[in-house]
Amino acid sequence: MQLKILGAAGEVTGSCYLLETSDRRILVECGLKQGSRQDEEANRDDFPFDPESVDAVVLTHGHIDHSGRLPLLVRRGYRGPIYCHRATRDLCQVMLRDAGFLNEKEAVWENRKRERKGLQLIEPLYTMADAERSMESFHGLVYDRRQEILPGVEIRLRDAGHILGSAILEVWLTEQNQKRKIVFSGDLGHRGAPILKDPKRIAGADLVLMESTYGDRQHRSWPDTLEEFSRIFADCAASRGNILIPAFAVGRSQELLYLLNRHYREWGLDRWRVFLDSPMAIQATSVYRKYGHLYDEEARQLWRDPARRRLMPNLHYTRTTQQSMRLNTIRSGAIIVASSGMCTGGRIKHHLKNNVWRKECHVIITGFQAAGTTGRALVDGARFIRLWGEAVRVAATVHTIGGLSAHADRDGLVAWYGGFENHPPVILVHGEPRAATALREIMTQRNSDPVVVARPRQEIDLLNIPDVLRPAQA
Ligand SMILES: [Zn+2]
Ligand SMILES: [Zn+2]
């Protein structure tokens, strides 16, 4: 009985783990590596196992760094089922199709360049048709129901509160009367976040794989974050410009809509027109609206009240390119929520080009901005940003809201682990080395919990778990 860590060791993206018994192979996650060009090229590599030999795939949630290589897995021969929450299946339908579409578009661009240089042409990583084909293997499950997916393999999904449908995965493996329970935290949500419930505590396990994205950071409190929003909208009220809010299409866009809706009067939003300018965010919003029963208590109350269930009267969805381009003519009074979240692509770039050089405009940054992105340049106070190779002056006021995160912070992670009554050994995954190491230190100091940071390609003998934690420290 074995666990192989095939991704997200010492990094945040590319989640992939393989569980093996003498006659079964279960793949947990099949995520895309994201980041530098070199990282992304690695997505084309062979899988470190034969896709045809895998019996089942289980997915914790829809984010591309967990699900994005599934169409490739199917194209390369995987024929078994893909289990995940129903809402995850619906979100994957939106996200994987979009990823396939972007892959095709990118390949066309790249090949145009290559043709001019006389270089060999490339194939897209996978196509929209590949994505659609992989969707046929999806089996949507519900939370909290334990079920056998293969002889000797049982699973249960528990709400992780990270994005809609996100799950903590419990796996029970049985082989020759030996039983082991492995828990995969998936991505753990931020307690108190809008719409979703808090991550479920799990009582026991033989081994835990835990994410550590923010293992070295604390988020600002929710009341402070809402106060910050309120202050920013008060500041903007006097200016005669537009407000741009870059946002990831799935998760962040829906949280923003929810907050704007909930604080509509208090933040004086009736004087604005609000645009959700992202076809993918619009589709993801309809998936979110379909699963009202998964919301937290506050969101469910709003959901039950027909008068408040309707979104803001001044909210407009802009689906087509023409509708989006029409926003270019609006000089003031528009709040535009658009992706990409780090301003590296998508419609937000056009809105920046039209607004960021005007001092009466505002940009509200609500998410993590990686080094090297246009979003990061804005946060860092750049006086110029480059859009399509052209320098554009930044005269708009840039506001940064720190507390809106879809991930648990350091204390949240420690508290979630505290739910285990038996202090099981922990392997930290899904975190940069600095974050994972800081979290390991805190956990070891506080309770001398048995914690190690995952190493790439680490193999763990599940029948001999405590042993594995010692050599990893060396
Ligand atoms: Zn995620
Ligand atoms: Zn993730």
Coordinates of all heavy atoms in Angstrom, one line a residue, residues 220-238 243 245 256 259-260 262-269 271-272 335 362 364 366 399-402 404:
R220 N -6.2 39.6 7.1 CA -6.9 40.6 7.9 C -8.3 40.1 8.3 O -8.9 39.3 7.6 CB -7.1 41.8 7.0 CG -7.6 43.0 7.7 CD -7.4 44.3 6.8 NE -6.0 44.6 6.6 CZ -5.5 45.5 5.8 NH1 -6.4 46.1 5.0 NH2 -4.2 45.7 5.7
S221 N -8.9 40.6 9.4 CA -10.2 40.0 9.8 C -11.3 40.4 8.9 O -11.2 41.4 8.1 CB -10.5 40.6 11.2 OG -10.9 41.9 11.1
W222 N -12.4 39.7 8.9 CA -13.5 40.0 8.0 C -14.1 41.4 8.3 O -14.4 42.2 7.3 CB -14.6 39.0 8.1 CG -14.2 37.8 7.3 CD1 -13.8 36.6 7.8 CD2 -14.0 37.7 5.8 NE1 -13.4 35.7 6.7 CE2 -13.5 36.4 5.6 CE3 -14.2 38.6 4.8 CZ2 -13.3 36.0 4.2 CZ3 -13.9 38.2 3.5 CH2 -13.4 36.9 3.2
P223 N -14.4 41.8 9.6 CA -14.9 43.1 9.8 C -14.0 44.2 9.2 O -14.5 45.2 8.6 CB -15.0 43.2 11.3 CG -15.0 41.8 11.8 CD -14.3 41.0 10.8
D224 N -12.7 44.1 9.4 CA -11.8 45.1 8.9 C -11.8 45.1 7.3 O -11.7 46.2 6.7 CB -10.3 44.7 9.3 CG -10.1 45.0 10.8 OD1 -11.0 45.6 11.4 OD2 -9.0 44.7 11.3
T225 N -12.0 43.9 6.7 CA -12.0 43.9 5.3 C -13.3 44.6 4.7 O -13.2 45.4 3.8 CB -12.0 42.4 4.8 OG1 -10.8 41.8 5.3 CG2 -12.0 42.3 3.3
L226 N -14.4 44.4 5.4 CA -15.6 45.0 4.9 C -15.6 46.5 5.2 O -16.0 47.3 4.3 CB -16.8 44.4 5.7 CG -17.1 42.9 5.4 CD1 -18.2 42.3 6.2 CD2 -17.3 42.7 3.9
E227 N -15.0 46.9 6.3 CA -14.8 48.3 6.6 C -13.9 49.0 5.5 O -14.2 50.1 5.0 CB -14.1 48.4 7.9 CG -13.7 49.8 8.4 CD -14.9 50.8 8.5 OE1 -16.0 50.3 8.8 OE2 -14.7 52.0 8.1
E228 N -12.9 48.2 5.0 CA -12.0 48.7 4.0 C -12.8 49.0 2.7 O -12.7 50.0 2.0 CB -11.0 47.7 3.7 CG -9.6 48.2 3.8 CD -8.6 47.1 3.5 OE1 -8.8 45.9 3.9 OE2 -7.6 47.4 2.9
F229 N -13.7 48.0 2.3 CA -14.5 48.1 1.1 C -15.4 49.4 1.2 O -15.4 50.2 0.3 CB -15.5 46.9 1.0 CG -15.0 45.9 0.0 CD1 -14.7 44.6 0.5 CD2 -14.9 46.2 -1.3 CE1 -14.2 43.7 -0.5 CE2 -14.5 45.2 -2.2 CZ -14.2 44.0 -1.8
S230 N -16.0 49.5 2.4 CA -16.9 50.6 2.6 C -16.2 52.0 2.4 O -16.7 52.9 1.8 CB -17.5 50.5 4.0 OG -18.0 51.6 4.5
R231 N -15.0 52.1 3.0 CA -14.2 53.3 2.9 C -13.8 53.6 1.4 O -13.9 54.7 1.0 CB -12.9 53.2 3.7 CG -12.9 54.1 4.9 CD -11.5 54.3 5.5 NE -10.6 53.2 5.3 CZ -10.3 52.2 6.1 NH1 -10.9 52.2 7.3 NH2 -9.4 51.3 5.8
I232 N -13.4 52.5 0.7 CA -13.0 52.7 -0.7 C -14.2 53.3 -1.5 O -14.1 54.2 -2.3 CB -12.5 51.4 -1.3 CG1 -11.1 51.1 -0.6 CG2 -12.3 51.6 -2.8 CD1 -10.6 49.7 -1.0
F233 N -15.4 52.7 -1.4 CA -16.5 53.1 -2.1 C -16.9 54.5 -1.7 O -17.4 55.3 -2.6 CB -17.7 52.2 -2.0 CG -17.5 50.9 -2.8 CD1 -17.5 49.7 -2.2 CD2 -17.4 50.9 -4.2 CE1 -17.3 48.5 -2.9 CE2 -17.2 49.8 -4.9 CZ -17.1 48.6 -4.3
A234 N -16.7 54.9 -0.5 CA -17.0 56.3 -0.1 C -16.0 57.2 -0.8 O -16.4 58.3 -1.3 CB -16.9 56.4 1.5
D235 N -14.7 56.8 -0.9 CA -13.7 57.6 -1.6 C -14.1 57.8 -3.0 O -13.9 58.9 -3.6 CB -12.4 56.9 -1.6 CG -11.6 57.1 -0.3 OD1 -12.1 57.8 0.6 OD2 -10.5 56.5 -0.1
C236 N -14.5 56.7 -3.6 CA -14.8 56.8 -5.1 C -16.1 57.6 -5.4 O -16.2 58.1 -6.5 CB -15.0 55.3 -5.6 SG -13.6 54.2 -5.4
A237 N -17.0 57.7 -4.4 CA -18.3 58.3 -4.7 C -18.1 59.7 -5.3 O -18.8 60.2 -6.1 CB -19.1 58.4 -3.4
A238 N -17.1 60.5 -4.7 CA -16.9 61.9 -5.1 C -16.3 62.0 -6.5 O -16.4 63.0 -7.2 CB -16.0 62.6 -4.1
I243 N -14.7 52.4 -11.7 CA -14.0 51.5 -10.8 C -13.8 50.2 -11.5 O -14.7 49.6 -12.0 CB -14.8 51.3 -9.5 CG1 -15.2 52.6 -8.8 CG2 -14.0 50.3 -8.6 CD1 -16.0 52.4 -7.5
I245 N -12.5 46.3 -11.1 CA -12.1 45.2 -10.1 C -11.7 44.0 -10.8 O -12.5 43.2 -11.3 CB -13.3 44.9 -9.1 CG1 -13.9 46.2 -8.6 CG2 -12.8 44.0 -8.0 CD1 -15.0 46.0 -7.6
L256 N -17.5 38.6 -4.9 CA -17.6 40.0 -5.0 C -19.1 40.4 -5.3 O -19.6 41.3 -4.6 CB -16.7 40.5 -6.2 CG -15.2 40.7 -5.8 CD1 -14.4 40.9 -7.1 CD2 -15.0 41.8 -4.9
L259 N -20.9 40.2 -2.1 CA -20.7 41.3 -1.1 C -21.3 42.6 -1.6 O -21.9 43.3 -0.8 CB -19.1 41.4 -0.9 CG -18.4 40.3 -0.1 CD1 -16.9 40.6 -0.1 CD2 -19.0 40.2 1.3
L260 N -21.2 42.8 -2.9 CA -21.8 44.1 -3.4 C -23.3 44.1 -3.2 O -23.9 45.1 -2.9 CB -21.4 44.2 -4.9 CG -19.9 44.4 -5.3 CD1 -19.8 44.5 -6.8 CD2 -19.3 45.6 -4.6
R262 N -25.0 42.3 -1.0 CA -25.3 42.3 0.5 C -25.1 43.7 1.1 O -25.9 44.1 2.0 CB -24.3 41.3 1.2 CG -24.4 41.3 2.6 CD -24.3 39.9 3.2 NE -24.5 39.9 4.6 CZ -25.6 40.1 5.3 NH1 -26.7 40.3 4.6 NH2 -25.6 40.1 6.6
H263 N -24.2 44.5 0.6 CA -23.9 45.8 1.2 C -24.3 46.9 0.2 O -23.7 48.0 0.3 CB -22.4 45.9 1.5 CG -22.0 44.9 2.5 ND1 -22.1 45.0 3.9 CD2 -21.4 43.6 2.3 CE1 -21.7 43.9 4.5 NE2 -21.2 43.1 3.6
Y264 N -25.2 46.6 -0.7 CA -25.7 47.5 -1.7 C -26.0 48.9 -1.2 O -25.4 49.9 -1.7 CB -26.9 46.8 -2.4 CG -27.5 47.6 -3.5 CD1 -26.8 47.7 -4.7 CD2 -28.7 48.1 -3.4 CE1 -27.3 48.4 -5.8 CE2 -29.3 48.8 -4.5 CZ -28.6 48.9 -5.7 OH -29.1 49.6 -6.7
R265 N -26.9 49.0 -0.2 CA -27.3 50.3 0.3 C -26.2 51.0 1.1 O -25.8 52.1 0.9 CB -28.5 50.2 1.1 CG -29.7 50.1 0.3 CD -31.0 50.1 1.0 NE -32.0 49.3 0.1 CZ -32.3 49.6 -1.1 NH1 -31.8 50.7 -1.7 NH2 -33.1 48.9 -1.8
E266 N -25.6 50.2 2.0 CA -24.6 50.6 2.9 C -23.4 51.2 2.2 O -22.8 52.3 2.6 CB -24.1 49.4 3.7 CG -23.4 49.5 4.9 CD -22.9 48.1 5.3 OE1 -23.7 47.1 5.1 OE2 -21.8 48.0 5.8
W267 N -23.0 50.6 1.1 CA -21.8 51.1 0.3 C -22.2 52.1 -0.8 O -21.4 52.5 -1.6 CB -21.1 50.0 -0.3 CG -20.4 49.1 0.7 CD1 -20.3 49.3 2.0 CD2 -19.8 47.8 0.5 NE1 -19.7 48.2 2.7 CE2 -19.3 47.3 1.7 CE3 -19.6 47.0 -0.7 CZ2 -18.7 46.1 1.9 CZ3 -19.0 45.8 -0.5 CH2 -18.5 45.3 0.7
G268 N -23.5 52.5 -0.8 CA -24.0 53.5 -1.8 C -23.8 53.0 -3.2 O -23.5 53.8 -4.1
L269 N -24.1 51.8 -3.5 CA -23.8 51.2 -4.8 C -24.9 51.6 -5.8 O -24.8 51.4 -7.0 CB -23.6 49.7 -4.8 CG -22.4 49.3 -3.9 CD1 -22.3 47.8 -3.8 CD2 -21.1 49.9 -4.5
R271 N -25.8 54.3 -6.9 CA -25.4 55.4 -7.8 C -24.5 54.9 -9.0 O -24.1 55.6 -9.8 CB -24.7 56.5 -7.1 CG -23.3 56.1 -6.6 CD -22.7 57.2 -5.8 NE -23.1 57.1 -4.4 CZ -23.0 58.1 -3.5 NH1 -22.6 59.3 -3.9 NH2 -23.3 57.9 -2.3
W272 N -24.1 53.6 -8.9 CA -23.3 53.0 -10.0 C -24.0 52.1 -10.9 O -25.1 51.6 -10.5 CB -22.1 52.2 -9.3 CG -21.2 53.1 -8.4 CD1 -21.4 53.3 -7.1 CD2 -20.0 53.7 -8.8 NE1 -20.4 54.1 -6.6 CE2 -19.5 54.4 -7.6 CE3 -19.3 53.9 -10.0 CZ2 -18.4 55.1 -7.6 CZ3 -18.2 54.6 -10.0 CH2 -17.7 55.3 -8.8
I335 N -18.9 50.3 -12.4 CA -18.0 49.3 -11.6 C -17.9 48.1 -12.5 O -18.9 47.5 -12.9 CB -18.6 48.9 -10.3 CG1 -18.8 50.1 -9.4 CG2 -17.8 47.9 -9.6 CD1 -19.5 49.8 -8.0
H362 N -10.6 54.4 -10.4 CA -10.0 53.6 -9.3 C -9.9 52.1 -9.8 O -10.7 51.6 -10.5 CB -11.0 53.6 -8.1 CG -11.2 55.0 -7.6 ND1 -10.6 55.4 -6.4 CD2 -11.9 56.1 -8.0 CE1 -11.0 56.7 -6.2 NE2 -11.8 57.1 -7.2
I364 N -9.6 48.4 -7.8 CA -9.6 47.7 -6.5 C -9.0 46.3 -6.7 O -9.6 45.5 -7.4 CB -11.0 47.6 -5.9 CG1 -11.6 49.0 -5.9 CG2 -10.9 47.0 -4.5 CD1 -13.0 49.0 -5.3
T366 N -8.3 42.7 -5.3 CA -8.9 41.9 -4.2 C -8.2 40.6 -4.0 O -8.6 39.8 -3.2 CB -10.4 41.7 -4.4 OG1 -10.5 40.9 -5.6 CG2 -11.1 43.0 -4.6
H399 N -6.4 50.7 -5.0 CA -6.7 50.2 -3.6 C -6.4 48.7 -3.6 O -6.7 48.0 -4.5 CB -8.1 50.4 -3.3 CG -8.6 51.8 -3.6 ND1 -8.7 52.8 -2.7 CD2 -9.1 52.3 -4.8 CE1 -9.2 53.9 -3.2 NE2 -9.5 53.7 -4.5
T400 N -5.9 48.3 -2.4 CA -5.6 46.8 -2.3 C -6.4 46.4 -1.0 O -6.3 46.9 0.0 CB -4.1 46.6 -2.1 OG1 -3.4 47.2 -3.1 CG2 -3.8 45.1 -2.1
I401 N -7.2 45.3 -1.3 CA -8.0 44.7 -0.1 C -7.3 43.4 0.2 O -7.2 42.5 -0.7 CB -9.4 44.5 -0.6 CG1 -10.1 45.8 -1.0 CG2 -10.2 43.7 0.5 CD1 -11.2 46.2 -0.2
G402 N -6.8 43.3 1.4 CA -6.0 42.1 1.7 C -6.7 40.9 2.2 O -6.3 39.8 2.1
L404 N -9.6 39.3 1.4 CA -10.4 38.4 0.7 C -9.6 37.2 0.1 O -9.0 37.4 -0.9 CB -11.0 39.1 -0.5 CG -12.4 39.8 -0.4 CD1 -12.8 40.2 -1.8 CD2 -13.4 38.8 0.1

